[in-house]
Amino acid sequence: MTSPFALCQKLITGPADIHPEYLRTLRKRSLFFAAAISCMACSTSLLRLSLFGNDPYSCMNLGYSLLTGLSFGSCVSIFNILLFIPMLTCGRRYLRIGTFIYLVLLGPVSDLSYSLFAPYLAVPADDLIPRILLLLGGMAVSCFGVSLYMCLDFGMGPYDAASCIINDMTHGRLPFRYARILLDSTSVIISFLLGSLVGIGTVIMALGMGPLINFFNQHVNTPLLRRNGLQ
């Protein structure tokens, strides 16, 4: 049986063969990861203000926000905690310090950024050009944040880990990419049923982010992390 100390050490260090330099840069890695999550949270606010729809998971949480009267960030935090339970039982290998940073930051920063952006960036539905700019800006900030989150390899958020857990539990019969499509599709259906805005932004976020994330991986975040001794 894994001792509490050994489990805590594994959450901090990840694989047992990790280089000691990884531990020496732990604080810096945590700050970069917090910046990545903050970018992802801010992007949801820009996409909400664009009125073109958000990514599937955010759309679903916006729907539950409409249903319950809770803030969007509160719904995000609640669902992350619910999805965190399977990680504790079936997906411990995806747990790292970054997972807890994700749990703590994503919801509150989403609400905070929206409250800061909305008074200045909210535009009428018929004002198309500013809405398109908000959509493009939200996508760019999201892809940068997701890229940095991936490049750091510092833990997975519960929604991302869910697809990996499904892949593991089905022994590869439902691979990650199909499990993710299944989860995103389910989120979109729930969003629609709850009256959340499902639009072109939702489709783009679900299907079209890969090339831009790859661009940020290769040309921005990998060089950035190397310059800071994090890769």
Side-chain angles (χ1 to χ4, degrees):
M1 182 176 179
T2 305
S3 70
F5 175 78
L7 178 59
C8 289
Q9 186 180 42
K10 185 176 181 180
L11 292 179
I12 293 172
T13 63
D17 60 350
I18 202 82
H19 196 277
E21 180 64 24
Y22 184 95
L23 291 178
R24 288 194 288 271
T25 61
L26 189 60
R27 182 180 177 183
K28 187 185 291 187
R29 193 175 295 274
S30 297
L31 291 173
F32 271 89
F33 196 86
I37 301 306
S38 297
C39 285
M40 292 161 64
C42 289
S43 73
T44 65
S45 297
L46 295 174
L47 291 165
R48 286 174 66 185
L49 291 166
S50 77
L51 304 178
F52 281 119
N54 219 307
D55 65 274
Y57 185 56
S58 296
C59 272
M60 184 182 70
N61 282 293
L62 283 167
Y64 279 109
S65 177
L66 292 171
L67 178 69
T68 62
L70 296 171
S71 72
F72 167 73
S74 297
C75 291
V76 169
S77 296
I78 290 168
F79 269 92
N80 281 338
I81 291 169
L82 291 175
L83 290 171
F84 180 66
I85 296 172
M87 289 187 73
L88 286 174
T89 56
C90 307
R92 284 188 180 181
R93 68 194 186 100
Y94 303 113
L95 281 172
R96 305 276 281 282
I97 282 183
T99 304
F100 298 96
I101 296 174
Y102 187 105
L103 285 170
V104 169
L105 282 186
L106 188 64
V109 175
S110 296
D111 279 346
L112 176 62
S113 62
Y114 189 80
S115 67
L116 293 175
F117 295 165
Y120 304 102
L121 299 178
V123 294
D126 59 354
D127 208 346
L128 194 58
I129 299 301
R131 288 178 57 205
I132 292 174
L133 292 175
L134 285 169
L135 173 64
L136 295 176
M139 287 180 57
V141 173
S142 177
C143 289
F144 172 80
V146 171
S147 167
L148 184 56
Y149 159 82
M150 291 169 58
C151 289
L152 282 162
D153 190 22
F154 199 46
M156 298 183 73
Y159 186 74
D160 297 321
S163 301
C164 296
I165 292 170
I166 291 171
N167 174 77
D168 294 344
M169 293 184 69
T170 61
H171 304 288
R173 289 190 294 272
L174 188 60
F176 171 84
R177 61 184 180 275
Y178 296 122
R180 184 58 183 249
I181 290 171
L182 176 63
L183 286 178
D184 284 345
S185 300
T186 302
S187 296
V188 169
I189 292 169
I190 294 172
S191 303
F192 181 78
L193 294 175
L194 291 174
S196 185
L197 177 61
V198 178
I200 188 172
T202 308
V203 176
I204 294 173
M205 294 292 287
L207 302 176
M209 291 176 59
L212 189 53
I213 290 173
N214 190 56
F215 170 83
F216 280 117
N217 285 348
Q218 294 184 9
H219 301 290
V220 179
N221 287 320
T222 296
L224 174 66
L225 295 177
R226 282 176 180 164
R227 285 198 299 270
N228 283 274
L230 298 177
Q231 276 200 347

